[in-house]
Amino acid sequence: MDGPDPRAPWQPPLTWWSHGWRLLGCLAISAIVWGSAIQGQLEDHPELFWVDLGLGAACYVLVFWRRRFPLTVALLTAVAGMYSGLAAGPGALAAVSLATRRNLPQIVLVGLVNVITAQGFVRVQPVVSDDPEWLNLAINTALMAALLAIGMYIGSRRELMWTLRERALRAETEQALRVGQARATERERIAREMHDVLGHRISLVTMHAGALTFRDDLSRADVAASARIIQDNAHQAMVELRGILGVLRGAEDGAPDRPQPTLSDVPALVDEARSSGTPVDLTVQVPDPLPERLGRTVYRVVQEGLTNARKHAGAARVAVHVSGSRTDGVTVRIENPLPPGSRPAGAPGYGLVGLTERAELAGGTLRWDVRDRRFVLEVWLPWPSSRP
């Protein structure tokens, strides 16, 4: 009955607490209005008391359908308010609920009906009042205008908050689509370059290998020449493949291969970060030495974590903790406080996306979260098996 309306998706579903305080507000309004007439009803017109009670109880049930049939419920409770002081609470709630939709013709209609029935209540019910009719009209009009204005403000704020949430959700979705497109584009480029570079040389290797397989009339010199061609093309293919991977890693063209960094190079990386103005607390609790590939992945994780912290947190202190064992694997945890006034991003950047792929390729997992205004990056990597 009070669930989200597809015609007004910004209207939130109501909780038990929301129902509770609305019911208390209705009871308070009903007590004020009915209290002005109940003594006269009981003493002089008991039939009006039972009519008032019956209509009021029906309105308290009817008001639960105010979101599904806002105009109908608001008009029925307003008309019932002429004969029932108990219905004043549900009538006010229905009017405010209708005003949250900000349909001006409906708001004006419901406001006029409520003012007219409020004036009629004084005439129908035995209300003891010495106030002139114009004063009652002014008070009723002002109260109804205030209720409708509150409803329009609530509706405007709900729609604004819903719009902001939808925009944030759309931005996160678009960011995920851009990240996925970047991944697909990069993989397509790698595949295209590898195909173009290696296709020709692998075809030469296949051709000469096939000749050696099927021809038995070749001399030793011809066999040696074909084997040399196969060796040269295979070597050249490896060189060109290494060059492609070097370009992908950002290496300079023609630069000689350098030893890849491992866990033993992490202290130097941390010292470099400290010298650049980022305070870093480093803790390493792992068996020594780590397998080369695992150590290289740990180094890249720490490198990306420090880069991310320096980019988003400035000179904030960063805590780096590396721990693990051969049975439990290695866990890298990097923490840094968020800058004052900043809001955590809803989607990871390209650096974390690449780091996630690196961790998954190593058989591990990557998680990031914001806890107590601290950004926490945690990567788990399995210990490579020593079995073949």
Side-chain angles (χ1 to χ4, degrees):
M1 289 180 287
D2 283 321
D5 187 346
R7 295 169 297 180
W10 56 86
Q11 299 279 23
L14 299 181
T15 62
W16 285 107
W17 164 246
S18 301
H19 283 295
W21 72 259
R22 284 169 171 79
L23 178 60
L24 291 176
C26 289
L27 291 174
I29 295 175
S30 296
I32 293 173
V33 177
W34 196 18
S36 64
I38 191 171
Q39 183 176 356
Q41 291 175 350
L42 292 175
E43 292 178 354
D44 302 325
H45 304 282
E47 69 283 359
L48 291 179
F49 170 83
W50 294 109
V51 170
D52 195 318
L53 181 62
L55 285 176
C59 288
Y60 268 92
V61 175
L62 183 63
V63 78
F64 280 92
W65 274 271
R66 66 186 181 277
R67 286 193 170 186
R68 186 174 300 180
F69 309 104
L71 181 60
T72 302
V73 172
L75 290 176
L76 288 177
T77 53
V79 172
M82 179 179 291
Y83 305 96
S84 173
L86 185 61
L93 178 58
V96 172
S97 179
L98 178 131
T100 60
R101 296 169 182 268
R102 295 180 298 152
N103 186 319
L104 189 58
Q106 293 183 2
I107 292 174
V108 172
L109 175 61
V110 170
L112 288 175
V113 172
N114 272 281
V115 171
I116 292 172
T117 55
Q119 290 296 109
F121 177 80
V122 179
R123 294 174 177 269
V124 173
Q125 298 291 343
V127 177
V128 179
S129 175
D130 298 329
D131 296 332
E133 189 168 348
W134 67 266
L135 181 59
N136 289 330
L137 177 63
I139 293 175
N140 290 330
T141 302
L143 290 176
M144 183 51 54
L147 287 175
L148 295 177
I150 291 173
M152 294 179 68
Y153 168 77
I154 293 174
S156 177
R157 179 173 175 79
R158 285 176 178 174
E159 187 172 358
L160 174 62
M161 298 303 296
W162 177 82
T163 302
L164 293 177
R165 284 194 295 269
E166 286 295 307
R167 287 181 180 177
L169 181 60
R170 191 180 303 115
E172 291 179 3
T173 304
E174 291 175 354
Q175 171 71 359
L177 291 175
R178 285 194 295 268
V179 169
Q181 175 123 17
R183 286 177 175 174
T185 302
E186 185 65 14
R187 287 168 180 166
E188 181 182 352
R189 187 179 74 84
I190 294 173
R192 185 168 55 248
E193 285 200 30
M194 285 186 175
H195 177 272
D196 294 341
V197 171
L198 301 179
H200 175 66
R201 299 200 178 276
I202 295 300
S203 66
L204 290 176
V205 170
T206 303
M207 182 182 65
H208 285 279
L212 291 178
T213 302
F214 294 104
R215 293 189 59 182
D216 54 4
D217 59 339
L218 296 176
S219 64
R220 290 184 60 85
D222 293 334
V223 172
S226 295
R228 192 175 301 109
I229 292 174
I230 292 174
Q231 181 183 16
D232 291 343
N233 280 278
H235 174 72
Q236 190 63 29
M238 290 298 299
V239 170
E240 292 173 345
L241 177 59
R242 193 176 294 117
I244 293 174
L245 297 178
V247 170
L248 292 178
R249 295 191 185 106
E252 297 180 0
D253 292 337
D257 292 338
R258 297 178 297 175
Q260 293 296 310
T262 61
L263 180 62
S264 60
D265 298 295
V266 169
L269 180 66
V270 169
D271 291 337
E272 180 183 356
R274 289 169 178 164
S275 64
S276 65
T278 302
V280 182
D281 298 328
L282 174 64
T283 306
V284 179
Q285 297 174 337
V286 294
D288 191 29
L290 258 64
E292 181 179 354
R293 182 178 177 184
L294 178 59
R296 184 165 60 248
T297 305
V298 170
Y299 179 91
R300 294 303 182 193
V301 170
V302 175
Q303 185 181 50
E304 179 61 30
L306 292 177
T307 301
N308 190 64
R310 187 162 53 248
K311 178 180 178 181
H312 297 287
R317 181 170 292 276
V318 184
V320 179
H321 183 68
V322 183
S323 61
S325 64
R326 288 179 173 84
T327 57
D328 298 330
V330 176
T331 300
V332 182
R333 182 185 177 93
I334 303 173
E335 296 185 40
N336 64 268
L338 294 177
S342 67
R343 299 179 62 183
Y350 294 124
L352 289 181
V353 170
L355 202 58
T356 301
E357 289 192 340
R358 179 183 290 273
E360 290 175 351
L361 286 174
T365 58
L366 180 144
R367 294 183 302 173
W368 64 273
D369 197 5
V370 177
R371 308 168 190 168
D372 298 328
R373 296 291 300 170
R374 292 182 65 83
F375 182 87
V376 180
L377 173 66
E378 188 171 279
V379 178
W380 175 83
L381 301 167
W383 195 281
S385 175
S386 58
R387 294 178 297 177

